[in-house]
Amino acid sequence: ETAVFQTPNYHVTQVGNEVSFNCKQTLGHDTMYWYKQDSKKLLKIMFSYNNKQLIVNETVPRRFSPQSSDKAHLNLRIKSVEPEDSAVYLCASSLGAEQFFGPGTRLTVL
Amino acid sequence: GQQVQQSPASLVLQEGENAELQCNFSSTATQLQWFYQSPGGSLVSLLSNPSGTKHTGRLTSTTVTKERRSSLHISSSQTTDSGTYLCAIEMSNYNVLYFGSGTKLTVEP
């Protein structure tokens, strides 16, 4: 099956903890992305990686860092979570113009 | 301000009726995509349509690039069409999408 896969589906943690989310795509795409969807359902770009190189960083807090081992994987690490980090994090990939999304990881920070 | 505006914010239809969703954007778009997000949250690409008219199944999208607007027409709506429809554009060569806040569609039996 070719798609965008994300783990975990859900994660509940406490303020100050470190979390890491995984994303893998089997579509053979060159570019991967992380988006954040807040409680108002607005989707915003966080990072874009093209063939392991960061090409866009939409001024997210420094506690967020993307990590890529190869062009099929793009993980997201949050060093010390804050309450406002509670959201759904969506991973996507693209080869040309069209983007394909994973199912998302819902983070709840207590 | 927000670069992508969608209207209406919500829409309630009876099954069988048609829906017309609007997307207006403030900058030149190199790409435009319509997505469907189910109540469970998964995001599915419906149409990629930076200009002109495209059809797939019961969906028709028309984008008028110079007027910075796009529409999504859903014909003969079904209860399973219920969910949120999102419009997103790319404004540069970085392939980054900027999303509108969506139209929440409810189709009643």
Side-chain angles (χ1 to χ4, degrees):
Chain A
E1 185 187 359
T2 53
V4 182
F5 303 94
Q6 288 186 243
T7 58
N9 294 328
Y10 305 93
H11 189 78
V12 181
T13 191
Q14 294 188 327
V15 170
N17 284 352
E18 177 176 316
V19 298
S20 189
F21 304 146
N22 300 315
C23 179
K24 171 187 172 182
Q25 55 94 4
T26 56
L27 297 163
H29 290 168
D30 285 333
T31 309
M32 295 184 71
Y33 314 80
W34 277 105
Y35 290 84
K36 178 182 179 181
Q37 188 169 37
D38 60 23
S39 57
K40 295 179 182 176
K41 303 293 185 183
L42 192 59
L43 266 157
K44 287 187 178 177
I45 183 68
M46 298 180 74
F47 299 103
S48 173
Y49 251 74
N50 179 272
N51 206 12
K52 298 194 292 179
Q53 298 299 315
L54 179 68
I55 57 174
V56 171
N57 178 343
E58 292 290 318
T59 61
V60 298
R62 295 181 70 163
R63 60 181 178 276
F64 289 85
S65 58
Q67 299 169 322
S68 179
S69 56
D70 55 58
K71 71 174 187 178
H73 296 84
L74 184 65
N75 298 334
L76 181 66
R77 176 175 155 236
I78 313 173
K79 203 183 247 185
S80 176
V81 296
E82 299 285 339
E84 61 264 30
D85 299 338
S86 292
V88 176
Y89 292 86
L90 288 153
C91 176
S93 72
S94 70
L95 182 61
E98 196 168 351
Q99 291 190 22
F100 297 88
F101 283 76
T105 294
R106 181 177 294 277
L107 174 66
T108 301
V109 181
L110 302 175
Chain B
Q2 201 167 324
Q3 289 144 333
V4 182
Q5 307 273 357
Q6 289 188 248
S7 61
S10 63
L11 183 61
V12 180
L13 298 175
Q14 296 296 312
E15 198 167 23
E17 290 182 324
N18 299 332
E20 188 85 12
L21 282 53
Q22 303 293 336
C23 176
N24 292 278
F25 39 99
S26 57
S27 303
T28 302
T30 54
Q31 169 63 297
L32 186 141
Q33 236 176 306
W34 282 96
F35 292 88
Y36 167 76
Q37 189 166 36
S38 65
S42 61
L43 202 64
V44 175
S45 177
L46 296 173
L47 283 164
S48 176
N49 186 28
S51 66
T53 299
K54 272 196 174 180
H55 305 274
T56 181
R58 293 181 292 108
L59 304 177
T60 301
S61 172
T62 300
T63 300
V64 184
T65 312
K66 63 180 180 181
E67 295 181 13
R68 297 181 181 173
R69 61 179 174 85
S70 181
S71 65
L72 181 68
H73 182 87
I74 306 171
S75 62
S76 305
S77 62
Q78 301 173 1
T79 55
T80 50
D81 294 334
S82 296
T84 299
Y85 291 79
L86 294 160
C87 173
I89 65 167
E90 284 179 23
M91 298 185 293
S92 66
N93 293 327
Y94 290 121
N95 297 117
V96 167
L97 286 174
Y98 294 88
F99 282 82
S101 51
T103 292
K104 185 177 179 182
L105 176 66
T106 304
V107 182
E108 296 177 341

